[in-house]
Amino acid sequence: MAERGENGRKNDPEQTKEDILLVATQEFSTHGLAGARVDSIAEKTRTSKRMIYYYFGSKEGLYLAVLEQSYRKIRSLESDLHLSNLEPEEALRTLISTTFDHDEANPDFVRLVSIENIHHAAHMLRSEAIRDLNVSVIETIAGILERGFDQGIFRRKADPIDIHMMISAFCFFRVSNRYTFGTIFRRNLSDCDTIERHRGMIADAVVSYLKS
């Protein structure tokens, strides 16, 4: 039988942690690590500051858990694509579209990564989980590139980390800089036609690079 917490609700520890992480993602991505308030997270999740510290240890521990969950989400999306079952070019284009759409739909993720870069990845360095999670995407890209080269589809032997960076750079920049870029050049990067054009552009650019 579930126990009742301080607020009188029945406790579901896993659901409580999920609720905390959801709200904490919004809090950290909006206010940064320094500006985020655990009291605010506790209030919005109808739990207590003490309970948050019980689950995550500290404010920094909660921030790191948010980062880990954010990376776990995109890596899980990629694994669900079963790219090894697709022809190399189709697999690569599918991976690029998934990355593009993920970043477009998850500006909180982009802001969190930007914040962590401001901190020189100091918190991420403490997480073996994040390092392990991100090995998978490099292995996936490496497999696609190897199959494509062996079949004569790709003419260039490219570094999978370079390709990952090329994809990430374009997809990430559109979201991280949409306001400054949009203001300077009077262009709405959230416009549907622009989104469609850019999704195709990055896929064409990567494939053309590999075929050249």
Side-chain angles (χ1 to χ4, degrees):
M1 183 175 178
E3 297 179 357
R4 293 188 179 274
E6 296 174 3
N7 55 18
R9 292 188 307 167
K10 287 185 178 180
N11 282 337
D12 179 346
E14 291 307 314
Q15 185 59 56
T16 299
K17 284 192 281 188
E18 285 297 315
D19 292 344
I20 291 169
L21 286 170
L22 178 63
V23 173
T25 297
Q26 298 168 350
E27 182 76 11
F28 285 124
S29 66
T30 301
H31 301 290
L33 175 58
R37 296 179 60 249
V38 177
D39 286 331
S40 176
I41 297 169
E43 181 180 354
K44 291 174 182 175
T45 53
R46 295 175 60 204
T47 185
S48 66
K49 191 173 181 178
R50 185 177 70 175
M51 184 61 71
I52 291 174
Y53 287 154
Y54 172 77
Y55 285 132
F56 300 101
S58 63
K59 181 181 179 181
E60 289 75 13
L62 175 58
Y63 170 75
L64 188 57
V66 165
L67 278 175
E68 290 174 348
Q69 186 192 56
S70 296
Y71 277 101
R72 191 174 291 111
K73 178 180 178 181
I74 187 171
R75 300 290 86 95
S76 177
L77 282 174
E78 291 161 354
S79 67
D80 289 343
L81 297 173
H82 304 294
L83 297 175
S84 61
N85 296 331
L86 304 178
E87 290 300 312
E89 182 173 338
E90 183 185 359
L92 190 58
R93 287 182 179 276
T94 300
L95 177 64
I96 291 168
S97 293
T98 299
T99 303
F100 185 99
D101 292 342
H102 169 272
D103 288 1
E104 182 67 27
N106 293 275
D108 285 349
F109 170 76
V110 173
R111 287 194 292 267
L112 283 168
V113 175
S114 298
I115 289 166
E116 186 60 11
N117 273 288
I118 291 172
H119 292 287
H120 305 286
H123 303 89
M124 196 178 288
L125 284 170
R126 295 164 40 202
S127 174
E128 290 187 14
I130 290 178
R131 285 193 293 273
D132 292 343
L133 281 167
N134 286 284
V135 167
S136 64
V137 68
I138 303 305
E139 291 177 342
T140 296
I141 294 173
I144 294 171
L145 298 181
E146 184 177 356
R147 288 193 293 123
F149 188 82
D150 290 345
Q151 294 175 28
I153 298 169
F154 302 146
R155 297 176 60 191
R156 187 187 298 270
K157 262 192 170 297
D159 183 331
I161 294 179
D162 286 349
I163 298 302
H164 177 56
M165 184 172 68
M166 187 176 180
I167 296 167
S168 298
F170 188 93
C171 297
F172 192 94
F173 180 90
R174 289 190 71 266
V175 181
S176 66
N177 289 52
R178 66 173 39 161
Y179 297 111
T180 52
F181 198 87
T183 298
I184 292 168
F185 297 106
R186 301 293 190 270
R187 177 160 295 180
N188 178 11
L189 297 186
S190 296
D191 174 74
C192 291
D193 290 341
T194 302
I195 288 173
E196 287 298 320
R197 184 173 71 255
H198 284 179
R199 186 188 290 109
M201 182 191 299
I202 180 58
D204 288 347
V206 174
V207 170
S208 295
Y209 172 75
L210 293 171
K211 288 184 172 182
S212 64

